[in-house]
Amino acid sequence: MTATDSMKLIQEIVDDIIRLSVMDKGDRQMNEHEKAIELLARALYDFTVFHQPPYPPNEEALKGTIAKVKIAYNTIERTKKTNIRMTRLNVNTSK
């Protein structure tokens, strides 16, 4: 398998991942991990485009790919942090 064939195969798989991630799920919204997976898939697709002729990597396009990966990382990192939720209890002080 040539490098170009490998890149096309990666693109096909990534297309399937993106299609699955944006598929209508009814009323359910995407969770943070699903959003991160979609961003990483899109970044991988962009990266494969850069490695196929006649598209030499463009600095602006690479910056966009790096941004997608950083956003995905930040999304995953944010979900790993503990969420502390404070609730106010209604306490009847009158006796």
Side-chain angles (χ1 to χ4, degrees), residues 32-54:
E32 296 298 307
H33 282 109
E34 290 171 327
K35 291 176 186 176
I37 289 169
E38 181 186 348
L39 278 170
L40 288 172
R42 291 182 185 277
L44 182 57
Y45 187 92
D46 293 348
F47 201 69
T48 60
V49 169
F50 302 146
H51 286 77
Q52 293 183 43

mmCIF file of all heavy atoms in Angstrom, residues 32-54:
data_model
loop_
_atom_site.group_PDB
_atom_site.id
_atom_site.type_symbol
_atom_site.label_atom_id
_atom_site.label_comp_id
_atom_site.label_asym_id
_atom_site.label_seq_id
_atom_site.Cartn_x
_atom_site.Cartn_y
_atom_site.Cartn_z
ATOM 1 N N GLU A 32 -19.060 16.263 26.029
ATOM 2 C CA GLU A 32 -17.758 16.876 25.763
ATOM 3 C C GLU A 32 -16.782 15.909 25.093
ATOM 4 O O GLU A 32 -16.022 16.308 24.216
ATOM 5 C CB GLU A 32 -17.162 17.413 27.075
ATOM 6 C CG GLU A 32 -17.983 18.533 27.704
ATOM 7 C CD GLU A 32 -18.089 19.750 26.814
ATOM 8 O OE1 GLU A 32 -17.057 20.259 26.358
ATOM 9 O OE2 GLU A 32 -19.222 20.201 26.569
ATOM 10 N N HIS A 33 -16.814 14.650 25.467
ATOM 11 C CA HIS A 33 -15.908 13.679 24.834
ATOM 12 C C HIS A 33 -16.263 13.471 23.367
ATOM 13 O O HIS A 33 -15.376 13.333 22.517
ATOM 14 C CB HIS A 33 -15.931 12.346 25.582
ATOM 15 C CG HIS A 33 -15.125 12.371 26.840
ATOM 16 N ND1 HIS A 33 -15.685 12.357 28.080
ATOM 17 C CD2 HIS A 33 -13.790 12.446 27.030
ATOM 18 C CE1 HIS A 33 -14.744 12.405 28.991
ATOM 19 N NE2 HIS A 33 -13.577 12.467 28.382
ATOM 20 N N GLU A 34 -17.540 13.453 23.047
ATOM 21 C CA GLU A 34 -17.958 13.295 21.648
ATOM 22 C C GLU A 34 -17.507 14.492 20.815
ATOM 23 O O GLU A 34 -17.067 14.335 19.675
ATOM 24 C CB GLU A 34 -19.475 13.131 21.563
ATOM 25 C CG GLU A 34 -19.971 11.814 22.103
ATOM 26 C CD GLU A 34 -21.481 11.743 22.230
ATOM 27 O OE1 GLU A 34 -22.125 12.773 22.509
ATOM 28 O OE2 GLU A 34 -22.012 10.639 22.036
ATOM 29 N N LYS A 35 -17.591 15.686 21.403
ATOM 30 C CA LYS A 35 -17.115 16.888 20.693
ATOM 31 C C LYS A 35 -15.605 16.810 20.452
ATOM 32 O O LYS A 35 -15.121 17.167 19.371
ATOM 33 C CB LYS A 35 -17.455 18.140 21.503
ATOM 34 C CG LYS A 35 -18.923 18.450 21.569
ATOM 35 C CD LYS A 35 -19.185 19.644 22.463
ATOM 36 C CE LYS A 35 -20.674 19.874 22.654
ATOM 37 N NZ LYS A 35 -20.943 20.964 23.598
ATOM 38 N N ALA A 36 -14.876 16.332 21.456
ATOM 39 C CA ALA A 36 -13.423 16.213 21.320
ATOM 40 C C ALA A 36 -13.060 15.192 20.248
ATOM 41 O O ALA A 36 -12.146 15.419 19.450
ATOM 42 C CB ALA A 36 -12.799 15.823 22.664
ATOM 43 N N ILE A 37 -13.787 14.086 20.204
ATOM 44 C CA ILE A 37 -13.529 13.060 19.183
ATOM 45 C C ILE A 37 -13.764 13.632 17.797
ATOM 46 O O ILE A 37 -12.966 13.412 16.876
ATOM 47 C CB ILE A 37 -14.406 11.814 19.432
ATOM 48 C CG1 ILE A 37 -13.910 11.069 20.665
ATOM 49 C CG2 ILE A 37 -14.418 10.898 18.212
ATOM 50 C CD1 ILE A 37 -14.849 9.993 21.154
ATOM 51 N N GLU A 38 -14.840 14.381 17.630
ATOM 52 C CA GLU A 38 -15.112 14.973 16.316
ATOM 53 C C GLU A 38 -13.997 15.939 15.915
ATOM 54 O O GLU A 38 -13.525 15.925 14.776
ATOM 55 C CB GLU A 38 -16.452 15.693 16.313
ATOM 56 C CG GLU A 38 -16.763 16.288 14.955
ATOM 57 C CD GLU A 38 -18.022 17.144 14.921
ATOM 58 O OE1 GLU A 38 -18.799 17.115 15.896
ATOM 59 O OE2 GLU A 38 -18.202 17.834 13.917
ATOM 60 N N LEU A 39 -13.556 16.786 16.853
ATOM 61 C CA LEU A 39 -12.471 17.727 16.543
ATOM 62 C C LEU A 39 -11.187 16.999 16.170
ATOM 63 O O LEU A 39 -10.493 17.389 15.221
ATOM 64 C CB LEU A 39 -12.211 18.646 17.739
ATOM 65 C CG LEU A 39 -13.129 19.845 17.874
ATOM 66 C CD1 LEU A 39 -12.907 20.524 19.219
ATOM 67 C CD2 LEU A 39 -12.882 20.829 16.744
ATOM 68 N N LEU A 40 -10.854 15.948 16.900
ATOM 69 C CA LEU A 40 -9.641 15.193 16.579
ATOM 70 C C LEU A 40 -9.752 14.519 15.219
ATOM 71 O O LEU A 40 -8.786 14.476 14.460
ATOM 72 C CB LEU A 40 -9.362 14.155 17.671
ATOM 73 C CG LEU A 40 -8.874 14.725 19.002
ATOM 74 C CD1 LEU A 40 -8.828 13.634 20.065
ATOM 75 C CD2 LEU A 40 -7.506 15.371 18.835
ATOM 76 N N ALA A 41 -10.938 14.012 14.902
ATOM 77 C CA ALA A 41 -11.139 13.398 13.588
ATOM 78 C C ALA A 41 -10.969 14.428 12.481
ATOM 79 O O ALA A 41 -10.332 14.158 11.460
ATOM 80 C CB ALA A 41 -12.520 12.751 13.520
ATOM 81 N N ARG A 42 -11.530 15.610 12.675
ATOM 82 C CA ARG A 42 -11.391 16.663 11.659
ATOM 83 C C ARG A 42 -9.934 17.098 11.511
ATOM 84 O O ARG A 42 -9.461 17.360 10.404
ATOM 85 C CB ARG A 42 -12.293 17.840 11.992
ATOM 86 C CG ARG A 42 -13.768 17.512 11.846
ATOM 87 C CD ARG A 42 -14.663 18.706 12.122
ATOM 88 N NE ARG A 42 -16.056 18.329 12.081
ATOM 89 C CZ ARG A 42 -16.788 18.234 10.980
ATOM 90 N NH1 ARG A 42 -16.231 18.475 9.805
ATOM 91 N NH2 ARG A 42 -18.060 17.896 11.038
ATOM 92 N N ALA A 43 -9.217 17.182 12.629
ATOM 93 C CA ALA A 43 -7.801 17.550 12.575
ATOM 94 C C ALA A 43 -6.992 16.481 11.846
ATOM 95 O O ALA A 43 -6.113 16.796 11.042
ATOM 96 C CB ALA A 43 -7.255 17.757 13.990
ATOM 97 N N LEU A 44 -7.299 15.211 12.108
ATOM 98 C CA LEU A 44 -6.602 14.124 11.418
ATOM 99 C C LEU A 44 -6.879 14.160 9.922
ATOM 100 O O LEU A 44 -5.976 13.956 9.100
ATOM 101 C CB LEU A 44 -7.010 12.772 12.004
ATOM 102 C CG LEU A 44 -6.334 11.542 11.415
ATOM 103 C CD1 LEU A 44 -4.818 11.640 11.528
ATOM 104 C CD2 LEU A 44 -6.833 10.290 12.099
ATOM 105 N N TYR A 45 -8.120 14.441 9.556
ATOM 106 C CA TYR A 45 -8.458 14.551 8.135
ATOM 107 C C TYR A 45 -7.628 15.667 7.484
ATOM 108 O O TYR A 45 -7.040 15.473 6.430
ATOM 109 C CB TYR A 45 -9.957 14.831 7.957
ATOM 110 C CG TYR A 45 -10.376 14.784 6.511
ATOM 111 C CD1 TYR A 45 -10.846 13.608 5.954
ATOM 112 C CD2 TYR A 45 -10.293 15.912 5.697
ATOM 113 C CE1 TYR A 45 -11.223 13.550 4.612
ATOM 114 C CE2 TYR A 45 -10.669 15.861 4.370
ATOM 115 C CZ TYR A 45 -11.128 14.681 3.837
ATOM 116 O OH TYR A 45 -11.484 14.627 2.519
ATOM 117 N N ASP A 46 -7.598 16.839 8.136
ATOM 118 C CA ASP A 46 -6.793 17.959 7.609
ATOM 119 C C ASP A 46 -5.344 17.543 7.447
ATOM 120 O O ASP A 46 -4.701 17.868 6.441
ATOM 121 C CB ASP A 46 -6.865 19.165 8.549
ATOM 122 C CG ASP A 46 -8.240 19.792 8.622
ATOM 123 O OD1 ASP A 46 -9.111 19.459 7.782
ATOM 124 O OD2 ASP A 46 -8.456 20.621 9.527
ATOM 125 N N PHE A 47 -4.822 16.843 8.426
ATOM 126 C CA PHE A 47 -3.427 16.443 8.398
ATOM 127 C C PHE A 47 -3.134 15.506 7.233
ATOM 128 O O PHE A 47 -2.087 15.596 6.595
ATOM 129 C CB PHE A 47 -3.054 15.791 9.735
ATOM 130 C CG PHE A 47 -1.590 15.795 10.010
ATOM 131 C CD1 PHE A 47 -0.913 16.974 10.277
ATOM 132 C CD2 PHE A 47 -0.879 14.606 10.008
ATOM 133 C CE1 PHE A 47 0.445 16.971 10.535
ATOM 134 C CE2 PHE A 47 0.479 14.591 10.254
ATOM 135 C CZ PHE A 47 1.140 15.774 10.522
ATOM 136 N N THR A 48 -4.075 14.611 6.928
ATOM 137 C CA THR A 48 -3.858 13.709 5.798
ATOM 138 C C THR A 48 -3.876 14.467 4.474
ATOM 139 O O THR A 48 -3.175 14.086 3.537
ATOM 140 C CB THR A 48 -4.902 12.580 5.750
ATOM 141 O OG1 THR A 48 -6.202 13.127 5.622
ATOM 142 C CG2 THR A 48 -4.805 11.687 6.975
ATOM 143 N N VAL A 49 -4.665 15.528 4.408
ATOM 144 C CA VAL A 49 -4.707 16.342 3.184
ATOM 145 C C VAL A 49 -3.340 16.968 2.927
ATOM 146 O O VAL A 49 -2.874 17.036 1.789
ATOM 147 C CB VAL A 49 -5.803 17.428 3.276
ATOM 148 C CG1 VAL A 49 -5.691 18.450 2.155
ATOM 149 C CG2 VAL A 49 -7.182 16.778 3.268
ATOM 150 N N PHE A 50 -2.663 17.384 3.990
ATOM 151 C CA PHE A 50 -1.346 18.012 3.837
ATOM 152 C C PHE A 50 -0.296 17.054 3.296
ATOM 153 O O PHE A 50 0.714 17.479 2.771
ATOM 154 C CB PHE A 50 -0.842 18.563 5.172
ATOM 155 C CG PHE A 50 -1.749 19.563 5.821
ATOM 156 C CD1 PHE A 50 -1.851 19.620 7.187
ATOM 157 C CD2 PHE A 50 -2.508 20.445 5.067
ATOM 158 C CE1 PHE A 50 -2.679 20.536 7.795
ATOM 159 C CE2 PHE A 50 -3.342 21.358 5.663
ATOM 160 C CZ PHE A 50 -3.432 21.411 7.031
ATOM 161 N N HIS A 51 -0.532 15.767 3.462
ATOM 162 C CA HIS A 51 0.453 14.777 3.043
ATOM 163 C C HIS A 51 0.129 14.120 1.712
ATOM 164 O O HIS A 51 0.670 13.067 1.380
ATOM 165 C CB HIS A 51 0.611 13.719 4.142
ATOM 166 C CG HIS A 51 1.370 14.241 5.305
ATOM 167 N ND1 HIS A 51 0.815 15.070 6.243
ATOM 168 C CD2 HIS A 51 2.658 14.082 5.662
ATOM 169 C CE1 HIS A 51 1.720 15.384 7.131
ATOM 170 N NE2 HIS A 51 2.851 14.800 6.806
ATOM 171 N N GLN A 52 -0.757 14.761 0.949
ATOM 172 C CA GLN A 52 -1.080 14.253 -0.385
ATOM 173 C C GLN A 52 -0.752 15.334 -1.406
ATOM 174 O O GLN A 52 -1.025 16.499 -1.181
ATOM 175 C CB GLN A 52 -2.564 13.900 -0.479
ATOM 176 C CG GLN A 52 -2.969 12.727 0.381
ATOM 177 C CD GLN A 52 -4.425 12.393 0.176
ATOM 178 O OE1 GLN A 52 -4.904 12.373 -0.940
ATOM 179 N NE2 GLN A 52 -5.117 12.139 1.260
ATOM 180 N N PRO A 53 -0.176 14.936 -2.516
ATOM 181 C CA PRO A 53 0.090 15.929 -3.550
ATOM 182 C C PRO A 53 -1.220 16.419 -4.144
ATOM 183 O O PRO A 53 -2.195 15.678 -4.142
ATOM 184 C CB PRO A 53 0.907 15.158 -4.581
ATOM 185 C CG PRO A 53 0.832 13.731 -4.217
ATOM 186 C CD PRO A 53 0.251 13.608 -2.852
ATOM 187 N N PRO A 54 -1.321 17.571 -4.596
ATOM 188 C CA PRO A 54 -0.339 18.660 -4.713
ATOM 189 C C PRO A 54 -0.466 19.681 -3.598
ATOM 190 O O PRO A 54 -0.261 20.867 -3.813
ATOM 191 C CB PRO A 54 -0.725 19.288 -6.043
ATOM 192 C CG PRO A 54 -2.221 19.197 -6.057
ATOM 193 C CD PRO A 54 -2.530 17.898 -5.336
#
